[in-house]
Amino acid sequence: MKAQRIASLTFTALAIAYLAGAFFIKEPPLRQQLGPDAFPKTIGVMMLVLSLLYVRIEFQRQPVKEDDERAAIIGAEEKLSDYVDYKTIGIMLALMLGYGLAFESLGYPLATFLMFMAGIYVLDLKHWKRDLIIAIIASFGIYFLFRYALRVNLPIGVLKFLFR
């Protein structure tokens, strides 16, 4: 119960920080109808609303005394585990940091593809062929959607030779 309350407050703080950061995005030299700050601000507002709902739910919830009772509520046959895989969490955080650092130099499509595949490798490699296809379609599809439909330029990085 205490951990969920702390998590809800942490998510709210992160949402506020993300939303505040969205206001520091520089305007492009050419004015666009939909600037580069529109999506981060929208995502930030949605994150804040959802995290505030999470806070409300967690602080209104009545404490449950036993793991058995909690397990019965959700239909679990075994007791809930308190196990946390810190190694996987650490690896994923390092991957996200690497993604942020490589974003400009590698470009959105390649950095996103590599991040997606690295995350799949760390989390679950059972369906790697399917996930490879999804990674290619998602990373390049989103790039083309932003570039041509929304007219928002994402960094192309090392693949600039493809888009002359």
Side-chain angles (χ1 to χ4, degrees):
M1 182 86 171
K2 183 179 177 183
Q4 287 89 352
R5 288 182 175 180
I6 292 170
S8 69
L9 293 172
T10 302
F11 289 141
T12 302
L14 290 173
I16 291 169
Y18 180 89
L19 186 58
F23 283 94
F24 290 103
I25 296 174
K26 296 177 185 173
E27 287 292 323
L30 299 173
R31 187 75 179 142
Q32 302 171 345
Q33 284 181 326
L34 190 62
D37 63 341
F39 287 103
K41 287 178 181 175
T42 302
I43 291 170
V45 168
M46 290 187 326
M47 285 172 52
L48 184 59
V49 168
L50 291 173
S51 64
L52 288 173
L53 286 172
Y54 184 31
V55 167
R56 182 176 173 222
I57 289 168
E58 287 305 322
F59 280 87
Q60 287 181 343
R61 178 176 292 173
Q62 297 299 320
V64 179
K65 297 175 184 173
E66 297 290 326
D67 281 346
D68 292 332
E69 292 176 28
R70 289 177 30 203
I73 291 171
I74 64 170
E77 295 174 7
E78 299 176 8
K79 287 185 177 183
L80 298 175
S81 172
D82 289 332
Y83 173 74
V84 177
D85 187 358
Y86 291 108
K87 180 181 174 186
T88 302
I89 292 171
I91 292 170
M92 290 304 295
L93 287 173
L95 284 173
M96 286 187 260
L97 178 64
Y99 176 67
L101 294 173
F103 188 80
E104 287 289 328
S105 59
L106 289 179
Y108 176 83
L110 186 58
T112 303
F113 169 77
L114 292 173
M115 173 61 188
F116 190 93
M117 291 309 297
I120 292 301
Y121 180 78
V122 170
L123 297 175
D124 180 21
L125 199 56
K126 292 178 187 170
H127 306 285
W128 70 270
K129 290 178 185 177
R130 176 199 67 192
D131 295 336
L132 176 69
I133 293 168
I134 292 171
I136 291 169
I137 292 170
S139 59
F140 286 90
I142 291 171
Y143 176 78
F144 289 122
L145 173 72
F146 271 75
R147 181 175 175 138
Y148 297 111
L150 300 174
R151 299 183 196 280
V152 175
N153 290 325
L154 294 173
I156 191 61
V158 297
L159 299 177
K160 62 185 164 198
F161 66 92
L162 294 174
F163 303 97
R164 288 186 183 213

